[in-house]
Amino acid sequence: DTEVTQTPKHLVMGMTNKKSLKCEQHMGHRAMYWYKQKAKKPPELMFVYSYEKLSINESVPSRFSPECPNSSLLNLHLHALQPEDSALYLCASSQDTIRVDQPQHFGDGTRLSIL
Amino acid sequence: AQTVTQSQPEMSVQEAETVTLSCTYDTSESDYYLFWYKQPPSRQMILVIRQEAYKQQNATENRFSVNFQKAAKSFSLKISDSQLGDAAMYFCAYRSRLQGAQKLVFGQGTRLTINP
C-alpha cells in the first residue's frame, strides 16, 4: 500500500474543462512535489512545496495551478489543458527539502487524458 | 548542471539469474546522493536502494546491491536471484547534497524483463 494517495486514478477531460488532482500523505512530511511523466520517459519535476509554500515552479504553464492547503494535502488545478498535457501525474513527498538524504515517496499517479 | 545516463533502454534476464543495470552521472560536486527507483506497471515509483557519495561501502538491500565507483561516476545496480516481480522500469537518480537542493535528476530508465 502506498503512503502517498492520489485521486483520481484516471481522468479524462476536454480542453475546456476544469478539474483537480488530489494528493494526500500522513507521514508528517513537509515537502511535497508534482511530477509529469510521459510514456517511457522519466518523471519531470513541475512544482515543489516546502512547509506549504511554493518553493519551485519549473516554468510550468499557468493552466496548471498548484495548491497546498495544509501539510498533508496537495492539489493540482487544471484548466484549459492541451492534448500534449496528457500524461501520468505523480505526487511525491519527503521529510523536508533540507534533509536531502531522505528519499521522496511517490504515489501511484493520476493518468490524465485530454480529449 | 548534473546529468544522469542509463545506456541500456531495455534488459532481460532469466528468472533466478543475476542482472546488472548501468548508470553513469556527471557532476562537479563531491557530495551527493544516488538512488535507484523501480516503477512497475502499477505506476508507483518505489525506492530500491540509496547510496551516499561520501560512503565508500556499497549499499545493499536484500537481493539488490550497487557498485558505486565515485571516480568513474558510475552507479550500477545488481539484482541477484531475479524474480518475476522485479519486472519494471528502473530509474537511476541523483540529488545534490547542497542545502536547498530539491531536485531529483533522473536517467532515462531501463526496462527490465524477467523471463520465466
Side-chain angles (χ1 to χ4, degrees), chain B residues 6-71:
Chain B
Q6 294 178 247
S7 59
Q8 307 151 316
E10 296 184 358
M11 292 278 287
S12 64
V13 64
Q14 289 296 125
E15 192 177 3
E17 293 190 347
T18 295
V19 64
T20 299
L21 309 183
S22 65
C23 172
T24 58
Y25 57 94
D26 188 28
T27 183
S28 58
E29 298 172 348
S30 60
D31 207 4
Y32 44 85
Y33 293 90
L34 296 165
F35 305 86
W36 277 100
Y37 279 90
K38 164 187 176 181
Q39 188 176 37
S42 64
R43 309 180 323 199
Q44 185 190 6
M45 295 277 284
I46 302 166
L47 178 68
V48 175
I49 202 164
R50 173 178 58 183
Q51 176 78 41
E52 300 171 65
Y54 62 89
K55 288 188 176 179
Q56 293 189 348
Q57 185 173 6
N58 289 324
T60 299
E61 287 287 341
N62 301 314
R63 298 182 295 107
F64 298 88
S65 61
V66 298
N67 183 3
F68 173 50
Q69 302 289 327
K70 190 172 184 181

Side-chain angles (χ1 to χ4, degrees), chain A residues 2 9-10 33 37 41-43 45 48 55-56 58 88 97 100-104 106-109 111, chain B residues 33 35 37 39 42-45 47 50 89 91 95-104 106-108:
Chain A
T2 179
K9 300 286 186 204
H10 302 273
Y33 310 77
Q37 187 179 23
K41 296 291 186 182
L45 184 65
V48 180
S55 63
I56 289 183
E58 290 285 297
L88 180 67
T97 56
V100 294
D101 61 315
Q102 295 300 304
Q104 294 179 18
F106 287 81
D108 288 341
R111 177 79 63 195
Chain B
Y33 293 90
F35 305 86
Y37 279 90
Q39 188 176 37
S42 64
R43 309 180 323 199
Q44 185 190 6
M45 295 277 284
L47 178 68
R50 173 178 58 183
M89 194 77 166
F91 291 100
R95 185 168 184 177
S96 170
R97 203 172 185 219
L98 293 174
Q99 190 170 6
Q102 299 176 49
K103 289 187 67 171
L104 274 174
F106 287 96
Q108 291 299 302

